[in-house]
Amino acid sequence: MSQTDPEVHPTVEDVAEDIATMEIRGAATIADAAAEALAAQAEDSDATDPEAFRAEMRAAARRLRETRPTAVSLPNSLRYVLGAMEGDSVEELRESVTAGAEEFRTELDQAQENLGRIGANRLRDGDTVMTHCHSTDALSCVEHALEQGKEIHAIVKETRPRKQGHITARWLREMDVPVTLIVDNAARRYLDQTDHVLVGADSIAADGSVINKVGTSGLAVNARERGVPIMVAAQTLKLHPDTMTGHTVEIEMRDEREVLTLDEEDEIGDVTVENPAFDVTPPRYVDAIVTERGQFPPESIVTLMRELFGDQQGGEPWEK
Ligand code: RUB
């Protein structure tokens, strides 16, 4: 935060902290929480003039933006809500922000539902899906397949180092899906029993590359070699507009202590630990990107991006 930045609301501070520490995690959930935090900032602001109010909103968005760099759903959410901000008085501005946040959150839920219905059509009765990490978009496809009366089985990768596979296993069990939990290294062996690899995405680049939890790219390469189709469930909120103009997606590097505790390091000796949270799966390893607007071969996702973002250029609303 710069010297001149106004104070941000405690809710924004708490949400930012929870996103950074992964209490709130997963691209869609992060986007939803960020929109809600902006609404809290607007509702409780005691700014008396419109410019002070706008400055507060920008400071709140900046604070949320700096938490995690890879999931584009976060800046897309902030852009949506700040883009809705309009009016001449504080009251008008406040109302436009809270209405924008509510609309965003409703659309997000709706998109996930619609995507789930489309993705479910790819799954047949009796299919086994292999999952990596925990994706609410991916699980929406399973949920809708079950609603269509299909029986689905799941092989769930543990997903080191944070073990988000446990969250996926819990959600699937709540849906009564039979779950086999495996360590990440066992994935190739179990691809023989898998009908679809089903993952989510944090960002999708204009060339159709999929940025998702580290390990996704290795899984996709192995799946392709075994002839297992790879399906990415990603609502259009995951499309990264900056990649249309040549920017790359920053891969978050997380704390080494997620991989190696101090005690473990004492035993091993001094080692360098690298802990990238995400990786990039090239489009040639992806069979379909399933969005709420239909399913796309990865190479054609750019047409959808042009339609959605047009020639969108220039700085972000929180950078003004
Ligand atoms: C989460 C992750 C998920 C995507 C999609 O990583 O890689 O696959 O965010 O999730 P982390 P969703 O646990 O590091 O946040 O479909 O819920 O948006």
Side-chain angles (χ1 to χ4, degrees), residues 22 25-28 68 133 135-137 164 201-202 212-213 238:
M22 292 176 60
R25 48 146 302 282
R68 295 189 78 189
C133 198
S135 157
T136 54
D137 281 353
Q164 290 95 328
D202 288 85
N212 191 48
K213 179 56 53 192
K238 317 290 178 62

Side-chain angles (χ1 to χ4, degrees), residues 14-34 67-68 70-71 73-74 108 112 131-139 157-171 199-202 212-214 216 238 252 254 258 277-278:
D14 289 349
V15 169
E17 190 57 28
D18 285 352
I19 293 173
T21 57
M22 292 176 60
E23 285 296 315
I24 296 173
R25 48 146 302 282
T29 311
I30 289 171
D32 184 61
T67 52
R68 295 189 78 189
T70 304
S73 53
L74 174 58
L108 190 137
Q112 194 164 76
T131 65
H132 184 60
C133 198
H134 173 252
S135 157
T136 54
D137 281 353
L139 288 181
K157 289 179 75 214
E158 190 180 36
T159 318
R160 290 273 172 170
R162 303 282 301 221
K163 292 193 183 164
Q164 290 95 328
H166 289 195
I167 311 171
T168 299
R170 197 179 70 232
W171 279 40
V199 294
D202 288 85
N212 191 48
K213 179 56 53 192
V214 69
T216 304
K238 317 290 178 62
E252 177 182 11
R254 292 194 62 85
E258 292 185 343
F278 302 98

Side-chain angles (χ1 to χ4, degrees), residues 187-192 194 220-229:
R188 192 165 189 281
R189 179 181 169 94
Y190 286 88
L191 281 169
D192 280 351
T194 301
V221 171
N222 277 326
R224 174 52 50 85
E225 189 259 340
R226 289 275 161 120
V228 179

Side-chain angles (χ1 to χ4, degrees), residues 168-212:
T168 299
R170 197 179 70 232
W171 279 40
L172 286 167
R173 286 306 301 136
E174 279 167 15
M175 295 185 230
D176 257 347
V177 171
V179 168
T180 304
L181 184 71
I182 59 170
V183 298
D184 296 314
N185 291 338
R188 192 165 189 281
R189 179 181 169 94
Y190 286 88
L191 281 169
D192 280 351
Q193 299 168 31
T194 301
D195 299 295
H196 304 265
V197 165
L198 171 58
V199 294
D202 288 85
S203 285
I204 307 262
D207 70 349
S209 297
V210 172
I211 295 89
N212 191 48

Side-chain angles (χ1 to χ4, degrees), residues 3-302:
Q3 292 268 306
T4 52
D5 263 341
E7 288 276 307
V8 300
H9 190 273
T11 302
V12 172
E13 214 28 85
D14 289 349
V15 169
E17 190 57 28
D18 285 352
I19 293 173
T21 57
M22 292 176 60
E23 285 296 315
I24 296 173
R25 48 146 302 282
T29 311
I30 289 171
D32 184 61
E36 192 181 13
L38 286 183
Q41 175 83 40
E43 268 160 25
D44 291 357
S45 167
D46 43 26
T48 47
D49 73 274
E51 209 25 65
F53 181 91
R54 287 177 191 275
E56 261 186 46
M57 292 311 304
R58 286 199 293 267
R62 255 196 304 277
R63 174 70 187 97
L64 293 161
R65 176 67 190 102
E66 72 193 12
T67 52
R68 295 189 78 189
T70 304
V72 73
S73 53
L74 174 58
N76 281 351
S77 149
L78 301 172
R79 207 177 290 121
Y80 186 109
V81 178
L82 287 202
M85 178 162 69
E86 61 179 12
D88 298 323
S89 66
V90 169
E91 246 354 278
E92 281 170 6
L93 290 168
R94 192 193 319 276
E95 260 174 41
S96 64
V97 170
T98 50
E102 202 179 304
E103 189 180 280
F104 173 81
R105 300 182 71 204
T106 308
E107 278 184 19
L108 190 137
D109 277 354
Q110 195 56 57
Q112 194 164 76
E113 282 288 307
N114 294 346
L115 165 159
R117 253 189 299 275
I118 294 167
N121 293 335
R122 291 182 64 88
L123 306 177
R124 289 159 310 175
D125 188 24
D127 273 356
T128 297
V129 297
M130 183 181 285
T131 65
H132 184 60
C133 198
H134 173 252
S135 157
T136 54
D137 281 353
L139 288 181
S140 177
C141 301
V142 174
E143 198 178 351
H144 281 88
L146 298 174
E147 274 171 23
Q148 291 171 358
K150 295 168 184 167
E151 198 183 307
I152 303 291
H153 298 252
I155 298 175
V156 172
K157 289 179 75 214
E158 190 180 36
T159 318
R160 290 273 172 170
R162 303 282 301 221
K163 292 193 183 164
Q164 290 95 328
H166 289 195
I167 311 171
T168 299
R170 197 179 70 232
W171 279 40
L172 286 167
R173 286 306 301 136
E174 279 167 15
M175 295 185 230
D176 257 347
V177 171
V179 168
T180 304
L181 184 71
I182 59 170
V183 298
D184 296 314
N185 291 338
R188 192 165 189 281
R189 179 181 169 94
Y190 286 88
L191 281 169
D192 280 351
Q193 299 168 31
T194 301
D195 299 295
H196 304 265
V197 165
L198 171 58
V199 294
D202 288 85
S203 285
I204 307 262
D207 70 349
S209 297
V210 172
I211 295 89
N212 191 48
K213 179 56 53 192
V214 69
T216 304
S217 64
L219 175 61
V221 171
N222 277 326
R224 174 52 50 85
E225 189 259 340
R226 289 275 161 120
V228 179
I230 301 118
M231 159 178 174
V232 176
Q235 45 182 301
T236 55
L237 182 67
K238 317 290 178 62
L239 302 178
H240 203 310
D242 295 352
T243 59
M244 294 177 74
T245 47
H247 294 274
T248 52
V249 178
E250 182 182 341
I251 300 293
E252 177 182 11
M253 299 300 287
R254 292 194 62 85
D255 197 295
E256 63 185 288
R257 294 294 160 233
E258 292 185 343
V259 176
L260 195 70
T261 64
L262 267 177
D263 285 349
E264 286 168 336
E265 186 164 6
D266 281 348
E267 272 196 21
I268 297 171
D270 189 20
V271 288
T272 303
V273 178
E274 293 275 323
N275 185 18
F278 302 98
D279 66 18
V280 182
T281 303
R284 66 182 176 279
Y285 296 111
V286 175
D287 289 273
I289 298 175
V290 176
T291 78
E292 76 278 15
R293 306 271 295 244
Q295 62 165 354
F296 295 80
E299 292 81 3
S300 74
I301 204 78
V302 68

